[in-house]
Amino acid sequence: MKLPETGWTRDQIFTALAELRAGDLPTEGGAAFAYVYDSGERAASELAAEAYRLFLATNGLDPTAFPSLLRLENEVVGFAVRHLGGGPEAAGSFTSGGTESLMLAVKTAREWAREHRPEITAPEMIVPATAHAALHKAAHYLGVKLVPTAIDPVSFRADVAAIAAAITPNTILLTASAASYAHGVVDPIAEIGQLALQHELLFHVDGCIGGFLLPYFRRLGAKVPAFDLAVPGVTSVSMDFHKYAYAPKGASVIVYRDKALRRHQMYACAGWTGYTVVNPTVQSTKSGGPLAAAWALLRAVGDQGYLDLARRTLEATRAIVGALREIDGLRVLGEPEMSLVAFTGEAPGFPLFALADAMKARGWLIQPQFSGFGSPANLHLTISAGHLAVKDRFLADLRAAVAEVRSAPPDPGLGLLLQAAASLDFSNMSEEAFMQALALAGVQGGRLPEKMATINGLLDALPPAAREAAIVAFVNDLYTHAEAASE
Ligand SMILES: Cc1ncc(COP(=O)(O)O)c(C=O)c1O
């Protein structure tokens, strides 16, 4: 972008922005089954936006300059502690999202081990295959070795025996999900907690997606196992407000068993000429907007309001899961305990990715998840309260899309690509070679094809490391200012 000589008018700005937004995934109306959490309550989103705006310019860097933010954070964390079974000693922090909360859980474990287990020089953390990628990212950023463990291929829960077998003298942290994103099931938290106690290890429960909603599901009569700080052995839990609390993005929390543990999360630096930095979280300068918006929503919706939103989410989920089980050719993976559903084709060769395209053509986003680690390729639905109003239309479209893709001839391009892929050595491929392979699947000039089935089929067939390399090559090409510079 070149700066305009003189500033644009308000009209010009908002016309341009609205045009850009028109090409996006709709964030309201229930079209999205990933990325977006839609309560269906417009007034609540507007209230949150207003609170966000009021605090937009505040800076959480220094809570003594903005005592309002300190107060709001203590109140929001106080709610989280209560919601997640923390005792009077529990302490936490408001963060920008699930990834930051998980990053902090790992950072805390690393510093805790440096103090309490100084003999460990190559720390390890144990991560079941269904745990969120953000834990891998945290291990990568923080230099902790990630030890992956197997899952049960029927229930898709973490395998406790595999975790026990993976513990070594270098282990500093156990992790598990409540619930897992991909299949929406809760790991055996109580049993893993026992392992943590026996081996005197820290144990983080990733409740980013489930922490807020699961206690409401339990109150509505759903069978939800204990997963929070009240479970012996659990030392920290993360929970995102920007998921099932429907807060604007940038809102999560991590809570610890006690303040002594949280202290390891802090970072301070007096080793330069400027102000002394003390950061409880990863960010330093941070807008108070997301915090104020989350606080405002919690207050405005209230406990009964969230119970009602949970009821709508549960009803939509039960209707969708029930219908998926009735559709000939589809199979639900595991027994979803939350509002996250993965389904696959009954028979091998079912055109799953073509089904995602056929649904996209009908206006719905459902998310492909690739095969591996004991899970077959599948399609994922994140269901929220706003889906209750559209579930019948969604299911009618899904039935029609299944009929359509089952009667379509198989994709000849994919067969050829897979044959070609089988002869390649992905461990040794240059970025250019990956881009050429992607171009064969229709990806060119940073643009994805309208129909993604072929490219998804290819990605699904690749080993995970090659999948990562191919997507990195694509994204590295995607973010380019060349086109924008010509304006
Ligand atoms: C279980 C779980 N953990 C962590 C995350 C990462 O959260 P974020 O995208 O807010 O960084 C997600 C996101 O869906 C999740 O479902």
Side-chain angles (χ1 to χ4, degrees):
M1 176 169 88
K2 185 165 160 278
L3 287 190
E5 204 48 43
T6 53
W8 283 11
T9 62
R10 191 188 155 80
D11 249 22
Q12 282 174 304
I13 300 278
F14 285 100
T15 306
L17 290 176
E19 261 170 35
L20 289 172
R21 283 287 281 122
D24 285 347
L25 173 72
T27 52
E28 285 177 357
F33 282 88
Y35 308 126
V36 168
Y37 299 79
D38 178 13
S39 68
E41 296 290 329
R42 206 112 211 213
S45 338
E46 275 164 16
L47 175 128
E50 223 176 291
Y52 197 116
R53 216 181 129 119
L54 189 63
F55 279 77
L56 189 64
T58 60
N59 192 345
L61 170 64
D62 183 351
T64 64
F66 296 97
S68 60
L69 296 181
L70 180 62
R71 171 78 182 264
L72 294 180
E73 177 156 344
N74 280 336
E75 291 196 11
V76 167
V77 171
F79 158 78
V81 164
R82 189 172 304 189
H83 196 64
L84 295 172
E89 304 297 316
S93 296
F94 184 84
T95 77
S96 65
T99 299
E100 187 178 359
S101 292
L102 294 175
M103 196 80 80
L104 292 170
V106 176
K107 195 265 189 199
T108 297
R110 192 187 68 178
E111 307 304 316
W112 177 88
R114 282 178 179 164
E115 186 173 312
H116 296 277
R117 307 268 304 276
E119 73 284 2
I120 297 180
T121 52
E124 297 174 4
M125 57 192 265
I126 298 179
V127 178
T130 42
H132 196 275
L135 282 164
H136 295 244
K137 182 174 170 180
H140 172 80
Y141 272 45
L142 291 161
V144 175
K145 182 179 169 198
L146 184 136
V147 179
T149 56
I151 52 150
D152 180 297
V154 176
S155 70
F156 300 98
R157 294 196 183 92
D159 178 338
V160 182
I163 295 175
I167 295 173
T168 73
N170 286 333
T171 307
I172 60 164
L173 178 67
L174 304 184
T175 64
S177 311
S180 63
Y181 177 82
H183 306 91
V185 296
V186 179
D187 284 333
I189 303 298
E191 290 171 63
I192 303 170
Q194 286 306 308
L195 282 181
L197 289 174
Q198 279 161 25
H199 295 269
E200 297 182 16
L201 295 169
L202 297 184
F203 175 24
H204 180 78
V205 173
D206 179 1
C208 284
I209 204 159
F212 189 86
L213 189 59
L214 284 169
Y216 284 109
F217 270 23
R218 188 185 290 128
R219 281 164 62 183
L220 293 168
K223 242 180 82 193
V224 175
F227 69 88
D228 60 16
L229 281 171
V231 176
V234 173
T235 52
S236 56
V237 183
S238 46
M239 170 173 87
D240 294 354
F241 294 107
H242 64 203
K243 294 191 167 77
Y244 283 98
Y246 301 105
K249 298 200 190 311
S252 173
V253 70
I254 176 160
V255 294
Y256 295 94
R257 181 186 58 195
D258 56 37
K259 249 188 198 165
L261 193 50
R262 186 184 60 180
R263 185 174 54 76
H264 298 290
Q265 183 189 280
M266 308 280 165
Y267 174 78
C269 179
W272 70 310
T273 54
Y275 57 90
T276 297
V277 167
V278 188
N279 293 151
T281 60
V282 176
Q283 290 179 300
S284 200
T285 283
K286 53 183 176 187
S287 167
L291 171 62
W295 180 94
L297 262 187
L298 292 173
R299 293 254 171 204
V301 178
D303 188 53
Q304 285 305 312
Y306 278 117
L307 189 63
D308 189 50
L309 286 168
R311 184 179 292 115
R312 285 187 244 166
T313 308
L314 188 59
E315 196 182 327
T317 304
R318 284 182 173 158
I320 291 172
V321 171
L324 283 172
R325 291 204 164 111
E326 298 288 302
I327 296 177
D328 189 35
L330 299 185
R331 178 166 66 90
V332 174
L333 295 180
E335 297 286 334
E337 288 173 288
M338 222 185 104
S339 47
L340 308 154
V341 183
F343 63 95
T344 189
E346 192 80 69
F350 180 91
L352 203 57
F353 302 129
L355 179 60
D357 285 342
M359 286 302 279
K360 190 170 167 218
R362 288 164 170 81
W364 307 98
L365 179 113
I366 56 182
Q367 193 178 43
Q369 299 187 133
F370 298 129
S371 52
F373 313 103
S375 178
N378 62 80
L379 298 178
H380 168 100
L381 303 174
T382 292
I383 299 166
S384 45
H387 286 124
L388 185 61
V390 298
K391 69 176 191 335
D392 293 337
R393 195 157 48 81
F394 169 75
L395 288 168
D397 278 347
L398 186 66
R399 287 186 193 96
V402 169
E404 177 189 308
V405 299
R406 289 183 92 184
S407 60
D411 173 3
L414 178 60
L416 291 174
L417 266 176
L418 294 182
Q419 255 178 19
S423 62
L424 294 175
D425 175 11
F426 292 108
S427 59
N428 216 353
M429 247 166 98
S430 67
E431 187 143 320
E432 286 75 32
F434 268 119
M435 291 309 289
Q436 280 165 8
L438 290 174
L440 289 175
V443 181
Q444 240 161 353
R447 289 220 166 77
L448 292 171
E450 191 56 32
K451 291 197 171 168
M452 289 287 293
T454 308
I455 180 74
N456 281 331
L458 176 66
L459 289 172
D460 187 53
L462 295 181
R467 209 181 278 160
E468 287 164 4
I471 294 176
V472 166
F474 169 71
V475 171
N476 197 22
D477 210 44
L478 180 67
Y479 285 96
T480 169
H481 59 273
E483 197 178 330
S486 65
E487 285 166 21

